[in-house]
């Protein structure tokens, strides 16, 4: 076990309570019995003895929240250094029981939970930390404090807490994307989106939420989530396209899929400039709209949309294969066998979920032509 030294800045932190943030800081006043005891523990070179002394310390000063939090936090760090993240997490939780709003403890707990690959705990700690950090500047300004000084203090605290916030944001994102169980993942996504509303991963989280609802076959949940997200971002072309694609997988919701696809296409038309990603999204939207028109029996209109999709999806093989397949199916319905064969041949040459269905339908069309 490494010989850990207590961080001096934590022990002798300024005695003035922070004014602009509702987080607890671990403050051990210099010269107090707790301070003297901690200095004695810090000077102990033997790791096992130091651990035993810390355990005695937290029992002796259990009535002092700062001392209990700091002592248990140091025990957590000791076990973390000894590659025992489970034990580290246990003592970290004891530290948080004494001081629930200590961001520095929540950061270390997030790290230990990552080591244990416990996505739920990672997200819980990270969300707690983000919520505390988000409280910066929310307490009212003290009446005797100048406005400029208060604003400066808020800015300084936000800047100081920024690395912690970013670390927990990334940790939570990685934990959620690594979670394989959809019913475990969905509550984590909801917590993330609430705690990190302006996250750099917001779009990815929204997309993952939609995919997760599909995995759970939760149409009601998908609809509620889609309505909520669109209320916040009614002109988000990516969100509209992903929702359209999700609804298109359920025949009962094809009308909704078509509505979202149309809205996405209109937004793309009015965009000042189109990036490759925008063109792909537009291609998916045209493909979905083509599928909805196909289901409605509007074959010429469906063919137009699907043909447009094939020109926009050249850099997205799976989406392109789907567009070619449904275009071939549409041509078959229109009794345009030659066009159907051409489209299905294109789809059949692309590896993926549409390859075999395309080849099967192609074989049927050729067999039917051979009998004529």
């Amino acid at each position: 076990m490494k010989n850990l030294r207590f961080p001096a800045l934590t022990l002798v932190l300024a005695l003035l309570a922070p004014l602009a943030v509702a987080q607890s800081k671990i403050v051990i006043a210099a010269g107090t019995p707790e301070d003297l005891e901690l200095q004695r523990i810090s000077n102990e070179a033997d790791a096992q003895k130091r651990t035993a002394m810390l355990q005695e310390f937290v029992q002796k000063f259990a009535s002092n929240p700062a001392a209990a939090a700091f002592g248990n936090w140091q025990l957590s760090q000791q076990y973390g250094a000894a590659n025992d993240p489970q034990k580290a997490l246990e003592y970290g939780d004891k530290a948080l029981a004494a001081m629930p709003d200590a961001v520095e403890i929540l950061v270390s707990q997030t790290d230990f939970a990552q080591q244990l690959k416990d996505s739920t705990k990672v997200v819980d700690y990270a969300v707690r930390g983000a919520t505390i950090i988000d409280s910066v500047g929310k307490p009212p300004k003290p009446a005797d404090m100048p406005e400029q000084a208060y604003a400066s203090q808020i800015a300084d605290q936000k800047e100081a807490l920024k690395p912690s916030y970013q670390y927990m944001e990334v940790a939570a994102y990685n934990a959620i994307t690594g979670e394989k169980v959809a019913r475990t993942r969905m509550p984590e996504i909801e917590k993330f989106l609430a705690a990190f509303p302006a996250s750099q991963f917001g779009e990815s989280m929204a997309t993952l939420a939609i995919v997760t609802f599909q995995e759970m076959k939760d149409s009601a949940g998908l609809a509620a989530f889609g309505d909520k997200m669109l209320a916040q971002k009614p002109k988000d072309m990516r969100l509209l396209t992903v929702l359209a694609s999700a609804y298109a997988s359920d025949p009962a919701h094809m009308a909704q899929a078509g509505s979202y696809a149309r809205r996405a296409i209109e937004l793309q038309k009015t965009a000042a400039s189109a990036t490759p990603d925008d063109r792909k999204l537009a291609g998916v939207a045209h493909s979905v709209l083509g599928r909805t028109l196909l289901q409605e029996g509007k074959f010429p209109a469906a063919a137009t949309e699907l043909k447009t999709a094939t020109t926009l999806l050249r850099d997205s093989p799976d989406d392109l294969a789907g567009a070619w397949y449904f275009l071939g199916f549409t041509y078959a319905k229109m009794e345009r066998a030659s066009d159907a064969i051409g489209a299905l041949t294109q789809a059949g040459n692309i590896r993926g979920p549409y390859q075999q269905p395309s080849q099967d339908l192609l074989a049927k069309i050729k067999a039917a032509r051979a009998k004529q």
Side-chain angles (χ1 to χ4, degrees):
M1 190 178 289
K2 295 179 181 178
N3 184 8
L4 298 180
R5 296 291 176 178
F6 302 142
L9 288 178
T10 303
L11 287 172
V12 295
L13 203 62
L15 296 180
L16 293 176
L19 300 174
V21 57
Q23 68 152 324
S24 299
K25 301 294 290 185
I26 303 176
V27 180
I28 306 293
T32 61
E34 293 90 335
D35 174 52
L36 296 175
E37 186 72 13
L38 285 171
Q39 294 306 322
R40 187 173 69 86
I41 296 171
S42 181
N43 291 328
E44 174 56 59
D46 185 274
Q48 291 185 342
K49 289 182 180 180
R50 190 167 58 254
T51 297
M53 292 168 72
L54 281 168
Q55 289 170 338
E56 291 177 4
F57 175 87
V58 296
Q59 291 177 358
K60 182 177 180 179
F61 297 104
S63 61
N64 181 339
F70 189 78
N72 280 302
W73 184 34
Q74 291 307 307
L75 282 166
S76 174
Q77 300 302 301
Q78 294 262 113
Y79 282 108
N83 297 317
D84 189 348
Q86 184 62 58
K87 205 74 172 175
L89 208 65
E90 291 174 13
Y91 278 99
D93 281 339
K94 291 179 180 180
L96 287 173
M99 198 167 282
D101 297 333
V103 171
E104 52 215 335
I105 300 175
L106 286 165
V107 169
S108 66
Q109 288 294 89
T110 301
D111 180 49
F112 294 135
Q114 280 191 108
Q115 293 178 39
L116 292 169
K117 302 186 185 305
D118 189 330
S119 66
T120 299
K121 283 187 178 293
V122 171
V123 174
D124 284 346
Y125 291 128
V127 164
R128 285 172 62 180
T131 302
I132 294 165
I133 293 172
D134 188 53
S135 69
V136 171
K138 290 185 177 179
K141 181 183 74 65
D144 59 346
M145 190 175 191
E147 189 69 41
Q148 186 174 357
Y150 185 66
S152 178
Q153 185 187 69
I154 290 174
D156 289 345
Q157 289 185 347
K158 284 185 174 181
E159 188 63 28
L161 289 167
K162 188 175 180 179
S164 295
Y165 184 92
Q166 292 175 333
Y167 171 78
M168 290 186 285
E169 177 188 10
V170 173
Y173 172 78
N174 288 336
I176 293 168
T177 55
E179 175 56 61
K180 304 300 182 184
V181 181
R183 293 196 177 277
T184 300
R185 189 192 312 132
M186 195 60 236
E188 295 173 355
I189 294 173
E190 291 173 339
K191 289 179 181 179
F192 181 95
L193 290 173
F196 300 95
S199 173
Q200 59 182 313
F201 307 116
E203 288 185 354
S204 297
M205 280 288 106
T207 300
L208 183 58
I210 293 167
V211 171
T212 302
F213 279 120
Q214 287 181 283
E215 289 180 18
M216 296 189 296
K217 303 186 186 307
D218 185 353
S219 298
L222 174 59
F225 180 82
D227 289 344
K228 178 181 177 181
M229 295 303 295
L230 285 174
Q232 298 172 10
K233 302 177 179 180
K235 295 185 177 181
D236 188 326
M237 191 175 80
R238 173 179 291 279
L239 179 61
L240 284 164
T241 304
V242 173
L243 282 169
S245 184
Y247 279 121
S249 64
D250 184 350
H253 291 88
M254 288 297 279
Q256 190 71 54
S259 175
Y260 286 152
R262 284 187 174 91
R263 287 167 62 183
I265 291 168
E266 288 304 312
L267 286 172
Q268 197 272 340
K269 287 180 180 178
T270 59
S273 60
T275 66
D277 192 49
D278 290 337
R279 286 192 290 274
K280 174 186 172 181
L281 291 172
V284 172
H286 280 286
S287 183
V288 170
L289 182 55
R291 290 170 62 182
T292 64
L293 292 168
L294 171 61
Q295 188 188 55
E296 294 170 4
K298 300 175 180 178
F299 303 132
T304 298
E305 295 297 332
L306 289 163
K307 183 65 176 177
T308 299
T310 62
T311 65
L312 295 169
L313 293 171
R314 292 170 182 168
D315 295 327
S316 182
D318 286 346
D319 295 317
L320 178 60
W324 279 121
Y325 170 76
F326 286 108
L327 180 59
F329 192 90
T330 302
Y331 283 144
K333 287 289 187 179
M334 297 168 68
E335 298 183 353
R336 292 171 54 178
S338 296
D339 290 331
I341 289 172
L344 292 169
T345 299
Q346 293 282 356
N349 289 333
I350 302 173
R351 290 185 179 182
Y354 290 100
Q355 186 172 40
Q356 193 60 53
S358 297
Q359 292 173 350
D360 292 344
L361 182 55
L362 182 61
K364 289 180 182 179
I365 293 172
K366 288 182 175 180
R369 293 190 76 184
K371 292 180 181 179
Q372 292 178 355

